[in-house]
Amino acid sequence: SNLGAAYFGMERLDSAIQYFDRAIALGAKAPRVFESAIVARLALGQTEAAQQTLNTYRTINPKAGDLDSYRRQLDKQRQ
């Protein structure tokens, strides 16, 4: 996820997503990994992929305070 964060910071969102996805597949549970993956996907217009990442995040961390915020962003982008 460190490489994902580095690419995210350089606005290389496709590359960032690759590393965030790899971290998630390897069992990462850090909220920042999921949040960054969701934000990057939203920025690239990958609404369905962002929704899938949000669903996974919700399963791992159902009490996260920012779930509603991401859901609203997804709903807004779908309109």
Side-chain angles (χ1 to χ4, degrees):
S1 69
N2 289 338
L3 282 172
Y7 282 121
F8 187 86
M10 294 185 297
E11 296 183 18
R12 293 180 56 189
L13 302 180
D14 287 321
S15 296
I17 289 170
Q18 280 185 307
Y19 285 99
F20 292 137
D21 284 349
R22 187 175 295 167
I24 292 167
L26 292 172
K29 292 186 170 83
R32 194 67 173 156
V33 173
F34 289 92
E35 294 165 357
S36 296
I38 292 166
V39 169
R41 286 190 162 103
L42 288 172
L44 293 174
Q46 299 175 0
T47 308
E48 291 308 312
Q51 180 66 61
Q52 290 172 352
T53 304
L54 178 60
N55 291 344
T56 303
Y57 181 40
R58 182 181 296 127
T59 300
I60 291 171
N61 193 0
K63 295 182 182 181
D66 52 0
L67 292 173
D68 288 335
S69 171
Y70 292 121
R71 192 177 65 241
R72 282 192 300 274
Q73 288 179 41
L74 281 163
D75 290 342
K76 185 177 179 179
Q77 201 164 47
R78 286 185 178 128
Q79 295 176 352

